[in-house]
C-alpha cells in the first residue's frame, strides 16, 4: 500500500522555508485545503524541519548534518580558508557539492556550489540572517513588497534583540558606525542583524528552521502531510495546465502519481529548474541569470576590550559580539555581515586557538552583474546522484564584478582596522558558490517577454497552476541574504492559490445549489 495520497489540492516539492511558507499560508487562509509536501531527503530533526543548531548533543547534531549530505560520497568539509587557498573543494557540514559540471574551460564556474537534502532544506543549516533588501535589490514591479516582507518576518520568527546581552556587540557596532554611517540614511546605517532566532524563557537561543515557518497551524492541519525520502521526478501536465506529480519512494524505489490542482516546486535554485527541465517545461529563461554573491572574508582582533578567559564557554554559537549588519547601498554594492569568529559558518583563523570574545569575523557579499548566459543547464545524457538530469553550470565574472570585488577587499580591510587589529594584511576571496545564495534561475518578471520564468505571483508562464518558489525566483542582483525575500515571494504565491481555491469553492457551491434547485 502506498504511503502517498492519490489526489490533493496542492502538491509542494521541497520542505525548505519557501515550501513551508506555502503550506502555512494555505493552512491559515484556505482551511480545508489538502496539501502534500514531498522532500527528497530524510527527517533529521524533531520537530521535522528544525535547525540542527538546536540539537544540543554534538554527536546527534553531526549525525543530522551527515544525513543531509545527499547521495554518494560525503567528501571533505570546510575547516578554514586555508583549505580553499590550497585548492581543496570542500563543503560545509550539512551540504554536498556537485560531483562535476561546476566549471568549464574559459569560465569561472562555481566550484563549491552546494545543496542539502533533508526535511527543512538549507534552513536546517543556515545562519538565520534576514535583512530586508534595499535600493536596487528591491523588486520594483512587485506591489506591496514591504507588507510581504513583514509577513515573511512573522513566519520566520525574525527578531533583532536575540544578542542584546552580548558584551561586545555595541562596541563593534559603534566602531563600525564611525567608519560607515556618514552620509547614509537611517535604514542603511550599521545596525543589529535581523535574525530568525529567539530566546526561550530559560535564556536558550533557538534558531528558526522550516518548523517555525510551518507552525502549529500547519502541523495541526488534518489536510497537511509531509513525505520525506520522496524524489519527485516529473511535474505532470495536460495541455497548458498542471495535473500532478510523479514521485519515487526512495525507501521502496516504487513510483507513484499524485494528482494535484496546483503544484509548487520549491526545491532550490539548482534543482527547481532541474525538475522543470526533466518535465519538459522549458521556458526560454529557465536556469538563466544564475547569480551567486562573491564573498570576501577578513578577521580582526578587538582592541581595548577585556578579552574573556580561555575557559569561557564556546558551545554552539558564541554570544560575545552577536551579529551586526552593514546594509547594501547602490553606491556601495555589498552587504556586510559581522559576527563573532566562532559563530562564522567558515572559520577564519588558521593558526592559534581563538580566545573567546577577542576576534571578530567580517564578511562582505557582493552583488552580481546579471547576465543571461550565467546559467545552469542540464545534460539529458548524464545523471546526478538521484538519477535526474545532471546540472551543468556556466558562470563568468564580468569586469564590473571584478571591480566590485576589489572595492570590497579595500573596504573590508578598512572595517577590520576600525574594529581592531587585523589578523592578516589581506582579505581572502572565498571560492565562487560559497555564499549558498544562488538566485535567478526561475526568476520572476512583470511580463512574459522571455527573460523570466514566472509572473509576479510566481506562477510559471504558460502553465496554469504551476508555481515556483525559493531564492531562484528573485530577479534582482542582491547582496543581502535572500531568504526573507524569497519567503515574501512565497507568501504572495500562496495567497494567489488561496484566492483561486476560494473562487473554485464558491463556483462549485453555486453549481451544486443550481442542481438541487432543478
Amino acid at each position: 500500500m502506498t504511503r502517498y495520497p492519490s489526489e490533493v489540492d496542492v502538491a509542494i516539492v521541497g520542505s525548505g522555508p519557501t515550501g513551508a511558507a506555502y503550506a502555512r499560508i494555505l493552512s491559515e487562509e484556505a482551511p480545508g485545503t489538502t496539501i502534500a509536501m514531498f522532500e527528497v531527503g530524510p527527517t533529521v530533526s524533531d520537530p521535522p524541519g528544525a535547525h540542527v543548531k538546536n540539537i544540543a548533543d554534538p554527536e546527534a547534531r553531526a549525525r543530522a548534518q551527515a544525513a543531509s549530505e545527499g547521495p554518494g560520497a560525503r567528501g571533505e568539509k570546510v575547516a578554514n580558508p586555508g583549505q580553499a587557498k590550497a585548492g581543496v573543494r570542500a563543503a560545509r557540514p550539512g551540504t554536498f557539492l556537485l560531483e562535476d559540471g561546476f566549471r568549464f574551460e574559459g569560465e569561472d564556474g562555481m566550484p563549491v556550489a552546494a545543496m542539502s537534502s533533508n526535511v527543512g532544506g538549507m534552513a536546517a543549516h543556515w545562519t538565520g540572517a534576514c535583512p530586508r533588501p534595499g535600493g536596487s535589490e528591491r523588486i520594483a514591479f512587485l506591489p506591496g513588497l514591504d507588507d510581504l516582507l513583514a509577513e515573511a518576518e512573522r513566519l520566520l520568527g525574525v527578531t533583532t534583540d536575540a544578542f542584546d546581552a552580548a558584551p561586545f556587540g555595541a562596541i563593534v557596532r559603534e566602531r563600525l558606525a564611525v567608519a560607515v554611517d556618514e552620509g547614509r540614511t537611517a535604514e542603511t546605517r550599521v545596525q543589529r542583524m535581523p535574525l530568525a532566532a529567539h530566546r526561550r524563557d530559560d535564556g536558550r537561543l533557538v534558531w528558526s528552521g522550516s518548523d517555525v515557518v510551518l507552525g502549529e497551524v500547519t502541523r495541526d492541519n488534518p489536510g497537511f502531510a509531509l513525505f520525506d525520502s520522496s524524489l519527485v521526478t516529473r511535474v505532470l501536465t495536460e495541455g497548458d495546465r498542471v495535473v500532478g506529480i510523479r514521485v519515487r519512494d526512495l525507501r521502496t524505489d516504487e513510483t507513484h502519481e499524485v494528482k494535484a490542482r496546483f503544484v509548487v516546486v520549491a526545491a532550490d535554485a539548482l534543482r527547481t529548474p532541474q525538475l522543470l527541465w526533466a518535465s519538459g517545461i522549458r521556458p526560454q529563461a529557465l536556469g538563466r541569470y544564475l547569480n551567486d554573491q562573491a564573498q570576501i572574508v577578513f578577521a580582526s582582533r578587538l582592541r581595548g576590550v577585556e578579552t574573556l578567559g580561555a575557559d569561557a564557554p564556546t558551545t554552539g554559537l558564541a554570544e560575545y559580539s552577536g551579529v551586526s549588519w552593514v546594509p547594501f547601498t547602490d553606491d556601495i554594492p555589498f552587504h556586510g555581515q559581522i559576527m563573532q569568529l566562532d559563530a562564522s559558518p567558515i572559520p577564519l583563523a588558521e593558526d592559534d586557538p581563538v580566545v573567546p570574545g577577542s576576534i571578530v569575523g567580517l564578511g562582505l557579499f557582493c552583488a552580481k552583474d546579471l547576465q543571461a548566459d550565467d546559467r545552469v543547464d542540464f545534460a539529458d545524457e548524464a545523471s546526478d546522484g538521484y538519477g535526474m538530469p545532471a546540472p551543468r553550470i556556466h558562470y563568468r565574472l564580468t569586469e564590473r564584478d571584478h571591480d566590485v570585488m576589489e572595492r570590497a577587499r579595500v573596504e573590508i580591510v578598512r572595517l577590520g582596522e576600525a574594529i581592531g587589529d587585523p589578523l592578516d594584511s589581506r582579505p581572502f576571496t572565498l571560492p565562487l558558490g560559497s555564499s549558498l545564495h544562488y538566485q535567478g534561475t526561475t526568476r520572476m518578471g512583470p511580463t512574459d517577454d522571455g527573460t523570466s520564468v514566472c509572473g509576479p505571483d510566481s506562477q510559471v508562464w504558460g502553465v496554469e497552476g504551476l508555481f515556483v518558489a525559493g531564492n531562484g525566483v528573485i530577479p534582482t542582483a542582491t547582496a543581502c541574504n535572500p531568504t526573507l525575500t524569497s519567503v515574501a515571494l512565497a507568501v504572495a504565491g500562496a495567497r494567489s492559490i488561496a484566492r483561486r481555491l476560494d473562487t473554485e469553492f464558491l463556483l462549485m457551491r453555486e453549481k451544486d445549489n443550481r442542481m438541487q434547485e432543478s
Side-chain angles (χ1 to χ4, degrees):
M1 182 176 177
T2 177
R3 62 184 173 124
Y4 304 121
S6 60
E7 185 173 358
V8 293
D9 293 317
V10 183
I12 301 173
V13 183
S15 63
T18 57
Y22 270 85
R24 171 74 171 272
I25 294 298
L26 289 168
S27 295
E28 290 179 341
E29 300 189 10
T33 300
T34 54
I35 307 164
M37 176 179 283
F38 303 89
E39 168 58 51
V40 69
T43 300
V44 301
S45 55
D46 184 21
H51 202 301
V52 299
K53 284 182 186 174
N54 300 332
I55 301 173
D57 177 49
E59 292 184 0
R61 189 184 318 124
R63 287 194 298 270
Q65 291 170 327
S68 303
E69 292 167 6
R74 295 292 180 234
E76 194 165 354
K77 296 298 151 190
V78 172
N80 56 54
Q83 284 186 310
K85 290 177 183 177
V88 175
R89 286 185 69 233
R92 300 183 197 177
T95 72
F96 61 98
L97 303 176
L98 294 179
E99 292 183 9
D100 53 28
F102 51 84
R103 181 167 50 202
F104 291 88
E105 187 175 354
E107 300 178 356
D108 296 289
M110 282 190 187
V112 294
M115 297 165 282
S116 64
S117 291
N118 53 272
V119 172
M122 201 68 79
H125 312 284
W126 67 324
T127 59
C130 288
R132 288 197 177 197
S136 60
E137 294 180 309
R138 293 172 60 86
I139 305 169
F141 61 80
L142 189 66
L145 178 59
D146 287 322
D147 289 340
L148 294 172
L149 291 167
E151 184 71 343
E153 289 166 342
R154 177 182 76 91
L155 298 185
L156 287 161
V158 175
T159 66
T160 56
D161 60 359
F163 285 95
D164 277 1
F168 301 144
I171 294 171
V172 169
R173 285 190 292 277
E174 287 169 6
R175 293 178 181 180
L176 287 171
V178 171
V180 169
D181 280 358
E182 185 177 356
R184 287 182 173 235
T185 61
E187 63 271 16
T188 61
R189 292 173 187 155
V190 173
Q191 56 197 275
R192 297 171 178 85
M193 177 68 78
L195 294 168
H198 68 276
R199 293 279 175 188
R200 298 195 323 189
D201 291 341
D202 62 5
R204 180 184 169 191
L205 188 66
V206 179
W207 293 91
S208 297
S210 287
D211 63 319
V212 171
V213 180
L214 288 169
E216 293 302 326
V217 67
T218 308
R219 285 187 285 272
D220 291 343
N221 178 2
F224 171 76
L226 168 62
F227 302 96
D228 65 0
S229 299
S230 299
L231 173 66
V232 175
T233 59
R234 191 172 184 89
V235 174
L236 303 175
T237 58
E238 290 181 1
D240 62 356
R241 175 156 190 97
V242 75
V243 295
I245 56 98
R246 183 175 299 145
V247 57
R248 190 168 85 237
D249 188 338
L250 297 183
R251 297 178 183 174
T252 66
D253 206 36
E254 296 175 342
T255 297
H256 304 273
E257 291 189 358
V258 179
K259 294 180 181 178
R261 295 153 71 187
F262 298 91
V263 172
V264 179
V265 184
D268 56 40
L270 301 181
R271 287 180 285 187
T272 292
Q274 179 190 53
L275 178 56
L276 266 59
W277 177 271
S279 305
I281 301 167
R282 302 176 180 181
Q284 182 179 337
L286 185 69
R288 293 188 174 271
Y289 300 96
L290 170 65
N291 68 94
D292 176 33
Q293 297 166 347
Q295 192 174 354
I296 317 297
V297 296
F298 200 51
S300 188
R301 191 182 303 274
L302 289 173
R303 269 194 313 269
V305 298
E306 183 177 347
T307 58
L308 304 179
D311 59 346
T314 58
T315 302
L317 182 67
E319 302 184 18
Y320 309 121
S321 63
V323 187
S324 299
W325 175 29
V326 180
F328 163 95
T329 71
D330 289 331
D331 292 332
I332 306 174
F334 22 81
H335 147 93
Q337 187 166 312
I338 291 84
M339 61 178 66
Q340 192 64 36
L341 182 59
D342 40 356
S344 172
I346 299 180
L348 304 179
E350 300 179 30
D351 41 25
D352 299 328
V354 173
V355 177
S358 66
I359 300 177
V360 173
L362 301 90
L364 292 183
F365 297 80
C366 303
K368 179 75 172 71
D369 188 12
L370 300 186
Q371 305 179 101
D373 283 343
D374 290 332
R375 67 193 188 278
V376 55
D377 55 27
F378 303 97
D380 285 325
E381 71 282 0
S383 300
D384 67 7
Y386 291 106
M388 296 291 285
R392 298 288 183 257
I393 291 178
H394 297 276
Y395 196 75
R396 292 183 178 90
L397 297 176
T398 67
E399 184 177 343
R400 179 182 173 187
D401 291 328
H402 285 292
D403 288 344
V404 169
M405 291 165 66
E406 184 56 34
R407 288 177 61 190
R409 292 184 192 101
V410 173
E411 178 68 1
I412 204 168
V413 171
R414 191 176 75 88
L415 298 181
E417 291 174 343
I419 289 173
D421 300 316
L423 300 188
D424 197 345
S425 60
R426 295 178 298 173
F428 179 64
T429 304
L430 292 177
L432 294 176
S434 295
S435 78
L436 307 180
H437 296 167
Y438 323 130
Q439 299 165 62
T441 53
T442 52
R443 70 200 306 254
M444 174 184 290
T447 59
D448 184 8
D449 61 0
T451 66
S452 59
V453 171
C454 66
D457 63 353
S458 297
Q459 183 173 241
V460 174
W461 298 117
V463 187
E464 184 71 20
L466 176 59
F467 289 71
V468 285
N471 294 341
V473 177
I474 299 172
T476 54
T478 70
C480 73
N481 312 70
T483 301
L484 183 74
T485 300
S486 62
V487 170
L489 302 184
V491 169
R495 287 176 173 171
S496 177
I497 293 176
R499 288 192 298 269
R500 298 184 202 195
L501 287 167
D502 189 48
T503 299
E504 289 181 13
F505 173 76
L506 291 175
L507 291 174
M508 290 175 61
R509 188 168 64 179
E510 290 176 3
K511 182 179 179 181
D512 289 343
N513 289 339
R514 287 195 298 270
M515 291 178 65
Q516 291 174 6
E517 291 172 357
S518 62

